[in-house]
Amino acid sequence: MHRSTVPAFILACLSITGCTSSSGPDGLMAGIPSKETTSSVTPSAPVPQASVGNMQAPLRAEPSQKVLAWGGPMPSGSPAFAAVDHQQGIPRAVPQINAAMAPQAGVVLPNEKPVQLAMAAAPAINAGPAVRSRIFRSNFSDAKPINFGKVTPRHYQVHGVDVSRWQGNIDWEGLRSRGANFAFIKATDGGDHLDPMFKTNWNRAKAAGVRRGAYHFFYWCRPASHQAEWFIRNVPRDPDALPPVIDVEYNGESSCKMRLPRAKVLEKMQVFMDMLERHYGKRPIIYTAPDFYKDHLSGELLDYPFWLRAVAQHPSKVYPDRKWLFWQYSGSGLSHGVEGKIDLNVFGGSEESWHRWVSRGNG
């Protein structure tokens, strides 16, 4: 397109830093990867390209919303905790660690409800008899191992990974046998980019018996409702899937340089999460990193489950005010089944609490 034929208002928009996504419609159709990244890993193999589907499919209509930021204490009788509160009589298992070290490390003790943040505000879709899948013990190694102190990732029983296009073609059966009991798979970012390996990873992970969920990298220069519609268009509503994830963090490589105030950040997140919860029937999980959490999320969204990045210390040291559901402890993991490096994670409870969580329709 020649410059002289571009309307003045479009040129004005393009001249403003962060006005558009790094993966616009032209780039999307050409297969150009988005600059939005969430992992510290770099590609170690050519990344296969894939179709992004039918761009002409109609968007799912959603009612207009006026959602205000909310950061107060959890209201009594919150539906988010309903799935846990009625199970007060069930003994609660915890990671197999020395009880003497738990207070210092911030590990959830039995009377603290280790999975109380793993909740669904809506009834499970197609709920049926629970089928327990085998839990494989972690056999991952790390290119940059960290001494986490007395409580390490090895003290947790259920390990998993998160992946995107950067891992190339994954041998999901091999990866599962090494300890990937769950996987969060990059699906979308912004309002126009689909990870080219999402559909392949989504289908192959399930075929290998890996519990998987999809995550969206949130782009602050696009309306939250547009991003939710894009995610819903591209991520199937599978009753066996883990809850959807909203990834909120700073990204220096993004063309969007906008830094919003806390109230606006929370408002946009709430719009996005409400739309996903209505569609999938599961309360979204919030993934974040230390700097973004400190600026925007500390003390907020108390009835949402959190997936926290902490690659140098235990989460209790980095996020002292937050209970967590998943912990991303490494961006330099190594494993059979994938070339190069991969992000490693643990579930914040025992194997028994994992089975209880997924059986309640949260996964």
Side-chain angles (χ1 to χ4, degrees):
M1 180 181 293
H2 295 292
R3 184 180 179 88
S4 60
T5 64
V6 179
F9 75 93
I10 296 180
L11 290 176
C13 178
L14 294 174
S15 68
I16 301 174
T17 301
C19 186
T20 60
S21 167
S22 59
S23 56
D26 293 339
L28 177 67
M29 298 307 294
I32 299 174
S34 168
K35 292 183 179 180
E36 303 291 358
T37 59
T38 62
S39 172
S40 61
V41 304
T42 54
S44 57
V47 179
Q49 296 295 318
S51 169
V52 297
N54 180 12
M55 290 295 295
Q56 302 303 319
L59 293 176
R60 179 176 180 271
E62 294 288 349
S64 59
Q65 301 181 74
K66 293 182 179 179
V67 182
L68 299 178
W70 174 79
M74 184 194 71
S76 60
S78 170
F81 288 85
V84 175
D85 289 344
H86 75 279
Q87 299 196 19
Q88 293 285 348
I90 297 178
R92 301 184 183 278
V94 294
Q96 301 303 307
I97 58 178
N98 189 321
M101 67 180 69
Q104 292 86 351
V107 174
V108 179
L109 294 174
N111 62 357
E112 291 183 278
K113 302 178 183 178
V115 290
Q116 69 177 2
L117 289 184
M119 55 301 206
I125 301 173
N126 194 27
V131 178
R132 293 194 172 196
S133 58
R134 176 183 175 185
I135 297 298
F136 286 84
R137 300 308 172 201
S138 171
N139 285 303
F140 299 127
S141 56
D142 202 318
K144 299 178 181 179
I146 296 295
N147 180 4
F148 286 99
K150 292 182 178 180
V151 182
T152 75
R154 293 288 181 183
H155 288 115
Y156 296 90
Q157 297 176 339
V158 184
H159 287 241
V161 299
D162 60 276
V163 303
S164 68
R165 64 188 299 271
W166 299 118
Q167 277 69 52
N169 282 308
I170 296 172
D171 172 6
W172 281 100
E173 289 79 8
L175 189 60
R176 185 186 181 216
S177 69
R178 301 296 289 183
N181 298 290
F182 64 85
F184 289 107
I185 300 172
K186 172 70 177 292
T188 55
D189 56 72
D192 56 12
H193 179 72
L194 174 68
D195 187 289
M197 286 299 293
F198 170 67
K199 292 181 179 179
T200 297
N201 285 332
W202 186 254
N203 293 328
R204 290 181 179 174
K206 183 172 184 177
V210 177
R211 285 277 185 174
R212 82 283 194 256
Y215 74 86
H216 172 86
F217 189 94
F218 200 85
Y219 189 72
W220 300 104
C221 294
R222 296 291 292 265
S225 59
H226 294 181
Q227 297 186 63
E229 288 167 348
W230 179 245
F231 184 90
I232 289 168
R233 176 191 290 184
N234 288 286
V235 177
R237 184 162 53 184
D238 184 346
D240 293 328
L242 299 176
V245 175
I246 175 175
D247 180 338
V248 287
E249 56 183 297
Y250 294 130
N251 179 13
E253 297 182 11
S254 174
S255 62
C256 177
K257 307 302 181 184
M258 187 179 297
R259 293 294 178 94
L260 301 174
R262 174 179 281 221
K264 190 64 177 178
V265 165
L266 293 170
E267 181 181 338
K268 289 173 75 72
M269 288 177 62
Q270 197 70 66
V271 170
F272 181 88
M273 293 187 297
D274 285 349
M275 291 179 67
L276 264 60
E277 188 167 347
R278 284 199 303 271
H279 182 76
Y280 295 101
K282 300 178 182 182
R283 175 144 293 191
I285 297 169
I286 300 170
Y287 170 92
T288 194
D291 52 354
F292 191 92
Y293 179 86
K294 180 180 178 181
D295 289 347
H296 300 290
L297 300 177
S298 178
E300 311 284 1
L301 300 169
L302 299 180
D303 56 350
Y304 279 84
F306 271 72
W307 170 20
L308 300 175
R309 178 176 177 83
V311 297
Q313 293 180 296
H314 189 274
S316 62
K317 306 295 184 182
V318 185
Y319 310 87
D321 65 335
R322 180 69 63 175
K323 289 183 172 65
W324 50 273
L325 185 61
F326 292 97
W327 167 24
Q328 185 186 80
Y329 66 86
S330 176
S332 53
L334 301 171
S335 175
H336 294 303
V338 62
E339 296 183 23
K341 300 174 184 177
I342 191 170
D343 290 339
L344 303 177
N345 304 268
V346 296
F347 170 74
S350 67
E351 180 176 339
E352 180 63 27
S353 62
W354 166 262
H355 287 306
R356 288 204 306 269
W357 180 55
V358 297
S359 70
R360 284 196 297 268
N362 295 288

